[in-house]
Amino acid sequence: MSDTGSAQVLIVGAGPVGLTLANLLGKEGISTVLVELNPGTVPEPRAIALDGESLRTLQAVGLADIVTATLREGFVADYVNGEGTELFTTDLNPRPYGFCLQNSFDQPTLENQLLEGLSRFHSVTVCFDTRLESFSQEAAGVTVRLRNSMDEERTLRCDFLVGCDGGRSTVREGLAVAMHGDRLPQRWLVIDTVDTYLTGDPECRFYCDPARPAMTMLRPGGERRWEWMLLEGEHDDSMLEDEVIRQLLKPHTNPDCVEIYRKVVYGFSAVVAEKFSEGRVFLAGDAAHMTPPFAGQGLNAGVRDVRNLSWKLAAVLRDGMAPSILHTYNLERHDAAQEIVNLAVVLGDQIQPTDVSAAAERDGFFAELNKTPGAGAKFGSDLVAPLHDVRMNLGWFVDDGFGGRFLPQPMVERHGQLERFDESLGDGFTVLLPPGGSIPAATVGHRLWGLLSPQVRELPAELQDFMGDSNAALLLRPDRFVLAQLPLNESASAVLDELEEGISEAV
């Protein structure tokens, strides 16, 4: 390790979130150092659900096809009570953004794919066995002290520091940023298995049984995750005993056909940091928020963080955009992360009740609901509606009915072949122009237009339903959120004025 060094961005933590951020910055050509305390990527599966929005981010860095080749794409999750009666379902197969709403994956495989992806970028350096000792920031940058496994110390000077270093974040501790929320009282036994007996259904099932809440999910390669809630008076060590696990498996499969390669007891938190940034230092992933697993959104919320942050860092460091754009990161991601935590808690409330009377009341509600055909499926669909129609409530966009919405990604025909729409777009800002439309000269001459330097593409017919009756153009951010409608007349300048003002007010 050299004594001194510099980089535009230092990322602390090489889990899936940090590795994704490094790929995003690498593609932008940003000088990046990624440090990780551990000697390599994780050897065991932790997160198991990767959603369509995250896969769209991986598409942006050219890894979606590699990753999807090792996924189980899409599934239906069902929720059953203690008698095995279906309460409701959530269909996670639709592809509004180019990929199934939810997919099961293997975390060690994904991390290795992300790590190998970094070899494409000369601007990215990865340092395992490296600890963040301390950091200090001032107006011009951040000074960081690092120490490797050979006890060699290095000082690194960077423009920005991003903590992707998990729930016990050293970066968050250094900022003295508090986490707000609850540590859930329930603890869960989690096992990962290869099961040659139970090879298909259920793909994903939540057992909402007050006698013992549980869940299972089929994973790539015929592997299966099981989770059971510990009851009052039960202890971690005893629940990890082979015979206890065998008895838990017995009602569902043939334990003699199950190879258990990982077993652990976890507790879950529903917490969000009071803020996601301070000056030149940012928090992302579990360093910023921790969510219970019931919505499969913990990792995915972290990927949303770094997709949001990466293009803003590149815009400031490479393109000369005002640093005030970085203040929109906290504005756009903090409350959105809180909403995801709240969704997971709501789903957990359906799964976890061990009070017999509370469970009976819940069962009675669904019994009445399901007298109407399809009502249980609609209930489940409504619960995961935020995954179908992703919108920002706050942030840098014009609130015109389109601004802040995540652009759908249809399959479109190009050069005689079907492909996902983003493949025809570049990495930066884009204007989608209705067929036959043109951008007024006054719009092209606007100062913000010159700064954004958007590519102009024709709006495909497959997005006409999204546009409705509007005949305006759409201005897209690099993360595929709509920035604003642009009228094809002189009033577009007023829209660009509003966006300019929005950046200055973000401070």
Side-chain angles (χ1 to χ4, degrees):
M1 226 184 211
S2 60
D3 291 332
T4 60
S6 64
Q8 290 174 298
V9 178
L10 172 67
I11 305 168
V12 180
V17 173
L19 287 164
T20 298
L21 177 57
N23 274 276
L24 287 162
L25 294 175
K27 192 174 183 189
E28 299 282 7
I30 302 302
S31 169
T32 304
V33 173
L34 172 62
V35 300
E36 167 58 47
L37 176 62
N38 293 310
T41 56
V42 300
E44 73 276 352
R46 295 176 183 173
I48 59 172
L50 195 66
D51 71 14
E53 195 175 343
S54 292
L55 285 170
R56 194 175 188 179
T57 293
L58 299 183
Q59 178 189 3
V61 295
L63 294 177
D65 289 342
I66 292 171
V67 172
T68 55
T70 59
L71 294 175
R72 290 196 79 257
E73 294 187 77
F75 52 86
V76 175
D78 58 36
Y79 296 72
V80 301
N81 66 11
E83 287 71 47
T85 301
E86 182 180 284
L87 302 176
F88 63 95
T89 62
T90 55
D91 183 359
L92 299 165
N93 286 296
R95 300 169 177 256
Y97 302 115
F99 304 90
C100 292
L101 287 172
Q102 197 65 279
N103 312 271
S104 64
F105 79 106
D106 178 67
Q107 183 169 338
T109 299
L110 175 66
E111 290 197 8
N112 286 326
Q113 291 165 334
L114 291 168
L115 181 61
E116 290 169 10
L118 292 177
S119 64
R120 302 169 295 168
F121 308 121
H122 298 300
S123 60
V124 179
T125 301
V126 182
C127 303
F128 287 105
D129 275 323
T130 301
R131 178 192 302 275
L132 172 67
E133 292 285 298
S134 66
F135 66 87
S136 61
Q137 61 173 318
E138 53 278 338
V142 184
T143 302
V144 178
R145 285 197 311 115
L146 305 171
R147 188 177 300 277
N148 67 12
S149 59
M150 300 174 64
D151 206 32
E152 298 169 328
E153 187 173 294
R154 174 187 183 185
T155 299
L156 186 77
R157 182 75 175 168
C158 58
D159 294 293
F160 298 101
L161 168 64
V162 185
C164 302
D165 50 340
R168 298 177 180 177
S169 170
T170 303
V171 177
R172 189 183 67 240
E173 181 181 347
L175 291 175
V177 170
M179 297 288 268
H180 297 294
D182 298 307
R183 177 75 174 174
L184 302 188
Q186 302 87 354
R187 293 182 64 74
W188 287 72
L189 168 66
V190 178
I191 67 170
D192 288 295
T193 71
V194 177
D195 189 337
T196 58
Y197 181 83
L198 189 63
T199 57
D201 289 336
E203 292 181 297
C204 180
R205 176 164 293 166
F206 291 87
Y207 298 91
C208 309
D209 183 354
R212 172 87 68 184
M215 71 82 63
T216 186
M217 181 186 287
L218 188 61
R219 299 179 51 242
E223 298 184 1
R224 183 175 286 277
R225 164 75 57 89
W226 287 96
E227 301 182 10
W228 292 275
M229 197 177 88
L230 274 64
L231 303 178
E232 186 176 353
E234 294 180 331
H235 302 286
D236 295 6
D237 291 345
S238 61
M239 292 300 293
L240 292 167
E241 293 176 1
D242 290 344
E243 184 56 31
V244 171
I245 295 174
R246 182 181 178 85
Q247 292 303 314
L248 291 170
L249 285 168
K250 201 169 182 179
H252 308 289
T253 186
N254 182 351
D256 293 333
C257 299
V258 177
E259 174 194 346
I260 300 170
Y261 66 89
R262 175 177 177 256
K263 54 183 180 179
V264 66
V265 174
Y266 275 130
F268 302 124
S269 295
V271 294
V272 177
E274 61 183 347
K275 56 184 175 181
F276 288 7
S277 63
E278 175 67 44
R280 291 177 171 268
V281 182
F282 301 86
L283 302 173
D286 282 0
H289 44 77
M290 287 180 279
T291 180
F294 308 117
Q297 286 297 300
L299 166 61
N300 296 297
V303 174
R304 290 188 194 100
D305 293 341
V306 296
R307 181 60 165 141
N308 184 289
L309 179 61
S310 61
W311 71 264
K312 296 172 183 177
L313 289 170
V316 171
L317 290 166
R318 186 195 59 208
D319 302 331
M321 187 173 282
S324 56
I325 187 66
L326 295 170
H327 293 275
T328 66
Y329 171 64
N330 185 76
L331 182 67
E332 293 176 354
R333 288 301 308 144
H334 183 277
D335 288 0
Q338 184 67 67
E339 288 178 5
I340 288 297
V341 170
N342 294 344
L343 171 63
V345 170
V346 168
L347 284 171
D349 288 344
Q350 299 294 336
I351 298 162
Q352 293 186 117
T354 55
D355 180 85
V356 174
S357 60
E361 183 177 348
R362 176 204 61 202
D363 292 354
F365 167 81
F366 282 107
E368 188 65 28
L369 179 74
N370 286 314
K371 289 178 181 178
T372 302
K378 184 180 185 305
F379 178 90
S381 178
D382 289 345
L383 273 181
V384 297
L387 303 181
H388 288 264
D389 185 10
V390 177
R391 301 172 185 239
M392 291 188 292
N393 294 324
L394 298 170
W396 188 49
F397 58 87
V398 176
D399 188 8
D400 56 14
F402 287 88
R405 294 184 66 184
F406 197 41
L407 186 77
Q409 182 179 201
M411 298 295 290
V412 298
E413 185 174 341
R414 190 169 70 136
H415 306 312
Q417 293 185 327
L418 284 177
E419 65 178 18
R420 297 182 185 95
F421 179 56
D422 286 4
E423 299 300 328
S424 65
L425 304 181
D427 296 329
F429 291 86
T430 304
V431 169
L432 297 182
L433 196 62
S438 61
I439 304 296
T443 303
V444 175
H446 195 282
R447 182 175 58 181
L448 184 62
W449 181 280
L451 179 61
L452 302 183
S453 189
Q455 303 175 71
V456 179
R457 297 284 188 271
E458 183 173 303
L459 183 78
E462 291 82 357
L463 284 172
Q464 286 300 326
D465 286 345
F466 178 77
M467 293 298 298
D469 295 332
S470 174
N471 58 2
L474 287 183
L475 178 56
L476 301 181
R477 306 178 353 163
D479 57 6
R480 309 310 187 207
F481 279 89
V482 178
L483 195 52
Q485 285 190 97
L486 279 183
L488 300 181
N489 54 46
E490 63 278 1
S491 62
S493 294
V495 175
L496 296 177
D497 288 342
E498 182 178 345
L499 288 169
E500 267 197 316
E501 184 179 349
I503 297 177
S504 63
E505 289 180 350
V507 180

